[in-house]
Amino acid sequence: MREADARCRLYLITPPALEPVRFADELAAALDAGDVAAVQLRLKPITDDALWRAIDVLRPVAQSRGVAFLLNDRPDLVRESGCDGAHVGADDMDVAAARRLLGPDLTLGASCYASRDRAMAAGEAGADYVAFGAFFPTITKEAPARAAPEILAWWAELMELPAVAIGGINAGNCAPLVAAGADFLAVISAVWGHPAGPAAGVRALNAAIAGA
């Protein structure tokens, strides 16, 4: 539930390809650099064995720092692997089925792109947060839709369920999303591709959030 005085927070998504042991150091540096609410492990395509290895290496890095560790697309693995929740997209398992797998106590997020109807349906089906975007051009993945900040303002005014903004977000362009009511900013390249390293990326984004 959104708290009246809650501020926007970072939501880190992993790069689409990584070597877990090497990436663990980058993840630790990023999480130690400033406030981060959650890390989503998003690896595609990948075998189940490789996914399990990545979970075993990276989950403790996040959870030992009080940061939620979520799986992209795989609610079926969350409980067994000790993760904190899952995120599903339009082409993945539907929200209601994912909620049944997770039970009532684990976090479930749903991609809603620029669809108000999908966001409303996701909330009714048991999502703990909805994600809107892409708000800006992104090279990480092909965006099904382009969203405008107004959808965040609409959601924040009507709903208590938190909203995540995603898609091409960085320290230089995030202010309108924060001002519109985003509860979380989901980022990839702005942290992992930052020229001064992941820690600098987290510091820059947190400073931009505070400034907005």
Side-chain angles (χ1 to χ4, degrees), residues 113-116 132-136 146-159 163 165 175-182:
Y113 313 107
S115 172
R116 301 184 182 200
F132 294 110
F135 286 93
F136 305 105
R146 181 65 58 83
E150 288 75 18
I151 198 168
L152 295 169
W154 164 79
W155 185 262
E157 182 178 355
L158 293 179
M159 304 295 175
L177 307 180
V178 177

Side-chain angles (χ1 to χ4, degrees), residues 21-46:
V21 173
R22 186 160 50 247
F23 182 72
D25 291 335
E26 296 183 52
L27 179 60
L31 299 183
D32 289 341
D35 180 60
V36 175
V39 172
Q40 181 191 131
L41 183 63
R42 180 200 281 174
L43 300 176
K44 295 183 180 183
I46 190 172

Side-chain angles (χ1 to χ4, degrees), residues 34-163:
D35 180 60
V36 175
V39 172
Q40 181 191 131
L41 183 63
R42 180 200 281 174
L43 300 176
K44 295 183 180 183
I46 190 172
T47 65
D48 279 5
D49 285 346
L51 179 58
W52 272 102
R53 178 170 177 262
I55 293 169
D56 288 343
V57 172
L58 301 177
R59 177 181 55 78
V61 177
Q63 291 179 338
S64 66
R65 290 164 170 81
V67 177
F69 192 77
L70 311 179
L71 297 184
N72 180 261
D73 297 353
R74 297 300 302 267
D76 57 312
L77 297 184
V78 169
R79 284 197 172 277
E80 186 178 359
S81 63
C83 295
D84 298 295
H87 182 94
V88 295
D91 297 327
D92 308 319
M93 182 181 297
D94 69 68
V95 175
R99 173 50 70 199
R100 287 193 293 271
L101 275 175
L102 295 181
D105 55 326
L106 297 176
T107 299
L108 176 60
S111 294
C112 300
Y113 313 107
S115 172
R116 301 184 182 200
D117 289 343
R118 178 170 173 80
M120 298 283 284
E124 291 173 358
D128 293 301
Y129 70 82
V130 296
F132 294 110
F135 286 93
F136 305 105
T138 174
I139 61 172
T140 304
K141 63 179 290 189
E142 186 175 349
R146 181 65 58 83
E150 288 75 18
I151 198 168
L152 295 169
W154 164 79
W155 185 262
E157 182 178 355
L158 293 179
M159 304 295 175
E160 293 184 322
L161 209 64

